[in-house]
């Protein structure tokens, strides 16, 4: 099983509480992200949490050491995202994440923001923060 992690998983992992613990456990299990996830993470940490660019850079180093290398966004990914927007009614930036996860051959996309339980292209979207899906032992 291969898992793709959405931005919110990485954001919550920087906090404390139940969502942070769940997110940290998911990251510890390994997974795949795209460059878009890193870009969104940097934006959230800087604009919403006021983190310094150096802190963000150090966090990227930690992510590089923990997860698979971030997948690039390509024209193929963008075109696949456009098809998901047109045919499956995803928002464009969500569609980019779904398209990247499908291209990477992932079985699961962990995301709080998308439709829990929805399957598309061999990928199932799972909200890990729902009690019934919590990855905690």
């Amino acid at each position: 099983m291969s898992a793709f992690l959405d931005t919110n998983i990485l954001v919550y992992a920087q906090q404390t509480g139940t969502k942070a613990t769940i997110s940290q456990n998911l990251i510890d299990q390994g997974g795949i992200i795209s460059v878009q996830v890193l870009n969104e993470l940097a934006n959230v940490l800087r604009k919403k949490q006021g983190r310094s660019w150096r802190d963000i850079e150090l966090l990227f180093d930690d992510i590089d050491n923990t997860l698979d290398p971030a997948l690039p966004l390509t024209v193929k990914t963008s075109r696949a995202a456009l098809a998901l927007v047109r045919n499956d009614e995803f928002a464009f930036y969500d569609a980019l994440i779904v398209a990247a996860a499908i291209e990477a051959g992932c079985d699961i996309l962990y995301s709080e923001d998308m439709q829990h339980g929805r399957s598309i292209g061999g990928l199932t979207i799972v909200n890990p923060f729902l009690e019934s899906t919590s990855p905690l032992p």
Side-chain angles (χ1 to χ4, degrees):
M1 176 182 79
S2 57
F4 198 95
L5 308 176
D6 194 1
T7 308
N8 51 32
I9 305 301
L10 300 181
V11 170
Y12 284 129
Q14 306 310 305
Q15 301 171 0
T16 59
T18 303
K19 287 184 178 183
T21 301
I22 291 169
S23 296
Q24 290 160 3
N25 286 343
L26 288 173
I27 291 167
D28 288 345
Q29 293 172 25
I32 300 170
I33 60 171
S34 66
V35 168
Q36 179 192 343
V37 170
L38 288 176
N39 293 342
E40 289 179 9
L41 176 64
N43 187 55
V44 168
L45 294 178
R46 181 69 178 177
K47 287 189 174 183
K48 293 186 179 180
Q49 295 184 8
R51 301 274 292 268
S52 72
W53 290 117
R54 182 65 183 145
D55 284 348
I56 294 167
E57 185 178 32
L58 291 171
L59 176 59
F60 277 25
D61 290 343
D62 289 343
I63 291 168
D64 286 345
N65 292 324
T66 306
L67 300 175
D68 291 351
L71 301 174
L73 293 179
T74 65
V75 172
K76 179 182 173 185
T77 311
S78 294
R79 289 188 177 276
L82 286 173
L84 289 168
V85 168
R86 184 183 60 247
N87 300 329
D88 298 292
E89 299 181 5
F90 281 97
F92 182 70
Y93 289 105
D94 289 345
L96 279 170
I97 289 174
V98 171
I102 291 170
E103 284 179 15
C106 292
D107 304 302
I108 295 175
L109 166 58
Y110 287 112
S111 177
E112 177 183 44
D113 299 330
M114 296 186 217
Q115 298 170 333
H116 173 73
R118 184 171 183 182
S119 292
I120 185 161
L123 179 75
T124 301
I125 299 169
V126 174
N127 181 342
F129 308 118
L130 296 177
E131 192 171 314
S132 62
T133 61
S134 175
L136 290 175

